[in-house]
Amino acid sequence: MRRIAVVGGSLAGLHAAEALRERGFEGDVTLISAENELPYDRPPLSKEALLNDVPVDRLSLRAPQWYADNAITTRLGNAAARLDTAGRTVLLDDGTTVDYDGLVIATGSRARRLSSTENAPPVQVLRSIEDSLRLRERLRPGRHLVLIGAGFIGLEIAATARQWGLDVTIVEVGTVPLSRVLGDEVGAWFRALHARNGVEIVCTCTVEAIDRLGDGAVLTLSNGRVLNADVVVAGIGASPVTEWLDGSGVPTTDGVVCHSDLSTSVPGVAAAGDVARWYNPLFDEEIRVEHWTNAVEQGRRAAHTLLGHGEAFSAVPYFWTDQYEARMRFVGRASAASEVAVKELDDDRLVALYGRDGLIRGAVCVNAPRELVRYRTAIRDQVLWGDVTETPSAIGG
Ligand code: FAD
């Protein structure tokens, strides 16, 4: 293998490129990115970089010199438009091509948008540096921010906006925030956290209409309420970026379908990060994960697989979110859980476990770092559900 192209210049793509060099690959490595910036970190975009004036280069994952030192060719501001797997060529949107022997697909996901009509007011999303800077410009004390969707990004923006001194209302279709991901009891804890911090979350409700009013908007909700907003942001999830693969033969179904070692059914092509859907043997499930740590680890693993050192990727998913004083850490899987056990619950701390098939599968820990380590080990070791719910000491810690 002489030439490896990595499409998607963010977390997974960068770590794939880095792992190729660390494993001694001496051929050409080309990192192709639709964005103009060198790979940067996204988690701060809804947290510290939305609150403070953080210079863009402080968000960079590697200094510019790193790319030169590691002989990584970057093609910034160039989206891959099409993939020809027979000819092993990536066609870019400026009409140029990049030939490859091995390819890592790391095009991540993009924020879902509300469908918009001609005269509708702007509804912002938050995915890129540009989105974050544009939103920060509009966060001013005393303004009213309406967020559509109480997922993690929406809740983080709400917490940051409260620090800016905005009034914040969230409209959420579910019965509580995060109920689909973490269940009703944990979702209710997050709702109470935000209520204590002055955020109203209007649940079981949708936005029926958004009309322009001056520089702001008027939202009509399905419960009949009308909200005036200075700023409107949609946090309604993200979708994997795969349309450039249409017709290439690389299988896609809500993400790039991979084998457990992140290779695809097309020779020489692997995928990593938010865009990859793979069979995780630990959970006996095909999953796609939009978490920071997963993108790092999968980028590395996809590179190893291309170099012929493939192994099943069976990491325990890990996700964090920081809202006000709550440091929430989540390990494993909760969405397919058949059992939930809340072990601790007060205003400052929360520990809840998720089980399926008689095993512990997931744990959410707020301000509980020791429990996180303990349950992460239990998930990896496939400890019986009864052992963690009845005799927690059986798993140490
Ligand atoms: P992405 O980061 O989505 O990068 C994909 C890259 O590919 C982008 O640069 C994109 O422009 C580029 N691209 C797309 N299409 C093409 C194309 N056709 N050609 C070339 N390039 C293309 N995770 C956590 O665990 N904890 C957090 O607290 C947390 N906070 C977050 C806050 C925000 C605001 C956001 C947006 C995400 C957050 N995440 C968090 C999720 C985490 O950042 C993602 O899981 C991670 O960025 C995924 O990395 P990736 O490289 O797979 O994809």
Side-chain angles (χ1 to χ4, degrees):
M1 195 167 288
R2 287 189 305 111
R3 299 159 305 182
I4 296 183
V6 179
V7 181
S10 183
L11 198 59
L14 170 82
H15 282 88
E18 185 171 62
L20 289 169
R21 291 297 184 226
E22 283 174 5
R23 280 272 170 145
F25 178 69
E26 291 182 349
D28 297 346
V29 177
T30 306
L31 185 64
I32 300 162
S33 183
E35 293 186 85
N36 293 316
E37 295 81 14
L38 286 170
Y40 60 85
D41 213 14
R42 289 183 209 279
L45 301 181
S46 49
K47 309 176 187 78
E48 53 270 37
L50 193 57
L51 187 62
N52 303 307
D53 190 5
V54 176
V56 168
D57 59 0
R58 283 243 323 266
L59 297 172
S60 293
L61 292 165
R62 296 288 179 275
Q65 189 58 36
W66 180 87
Y67 298 87
D69 293 346
N70 287 278
I72 311 283
T73 304
T74 53
R75 297 287 305 266
L76 303 181
N78 273 144
R82 209 164 55 78
L83 178 65
D84 171 1
T85 49
R88 296 206 177 200
T89 296
V90 182
L91 175 72
L92 305 187
D93 60 359
D94 65 355
T96 59
T97 54
V98 176
D99 297 333
Y100 67 86
D101 304 306
L103 175 73
V104 178
I105 298 170
T107 42
S109 52
R110 64 164 69 89
R112 281 194 206 116
R113 290 176 183 272
L114 294 176
S115 51
S116 164
T117 52
E118 206 177 299
N119 205 23
V123 174
Q124 294 188 227
V125 295
L126 180 51
R127 183 79 205 171
S128 64
I129 283 190
E130 218 182 319
D131 296 334
S132 183
L133 290 174
R134 196 180 310 126
L135 179 57
R136 190 155 60 81
E137 288 269 289
R138 307 205 61 206
L139 298 183
R140 292 293 171 266
R143 287 189 173 172
H144 186 206
L145 166 69
V146 175
L147 283 150
I148 304 169
F152 287 113
I153 301 273
L155 294 176
E156 287 183 356
I157 295 171
T160 306
R162 287 299 294 148
Q163 287 176 266
W164 267 104
L166 278 85
D167 295 325
V168 180
T169 309
I170 309 182
V171 183
E172 164 59 38
V173 66
T175 48
V176 289
L178 307 171
S179 67
R180 196 178 47 81
V181 196
L182 297 178
D184 285 353
E185 210 165 348
V186 173
W189 187 91
F190 275 91
R191 186 182 194 172
L193 168 73
H194 281 268
R196 285 198 299 280
N197 285 280
V199 174
E200 183 192 9
I201 307 184
V202 184
C203 292
T204 329
C205 197
T206 55
V207 174
E208 301 281 286
I210 310 180
D211 296 299
R212 193 181 282 272
L213 179 69
D215 288 340
V218 182
L219 295 92
T220 308
L221 309 189
S222 55
N223 65 2
R225 266 180 80 176
V226 173
L227 300 174
N228 283 1
D230 299 297
V231 188
V232 185
V233 179
I236 52 174
S239 315
V241 179
T242 56
E243 67 282 347
W244 66 282
L245 298 167
D246 289 351
S248 68
V250 173
T252 58
T253 310
D254 182 38
V256 174
V257 180
C258 302
H259 301 130
S260 56
D261 65 356
L262 305 179
S263 63
T264 69
S265 56
V266 175
V269 178
D274 279 17
V275 78
R277 164 173 291 281
W278 87 109
Y279 173 76
N280 184 324
L282 182 60
F283 297 91
D284 189 22
E285 240 189 305
E286 200 178 84
I287 57 178
R288 189 174 68 76
V289 173
E290 293 174 4
H291 301 349
W292 192 95
T293 311
N294 178 70
V296 171
E297 293 174 352
Q298 286 199 341
R300 300 181 63 76
R301 184 60 57 87
H304 296 172
T305 292
L306 281 187
L307 296 179
H309 310 291
E311 288 172 49
F313 184 78
S314 58
V316 178
Y318 167 79
F319 177 83
W320 78 91
T321 175
D322 295 327
Q323 298 164 31
Y324 314 107
E325 303 307 317
R327 298 175 69 76
M328 187 275 237
R329 305 292 180 256
F330 178 80
V331 277
R333 300 278 298 153
S335 47
S338 52
E339 325 241 22
V340 182
V342 176
K343 309 273 295 177
E344 282 186 53
L345 185 115
D346 62 34
D347 281 0
D348 301 322
R349 269 169 68 93
L350 164 68
V351 178
L353 309 181
Y354 299 83
R356 180 170 47 87
D357 306 328
L359 303 174
I360 176 171
R361 296 298 194 171
V364 55
C365 301
V366 178
N367 298 334
R370 289 189 65 224
E371 286 75 3
L372 180 88
V373 174
R374 173 198 288 188
Y375 291 123
R376 176 185 228 165
T377 308
I379 295 163
R380 190 199 59 207
D381 295 347
Q382 302 201 307
V383 169
L384 293 175
W385 178 245
D387 287 351
V388 286
T389 51
E390 283 157 29
T391 53
S393 60
I395 58 163

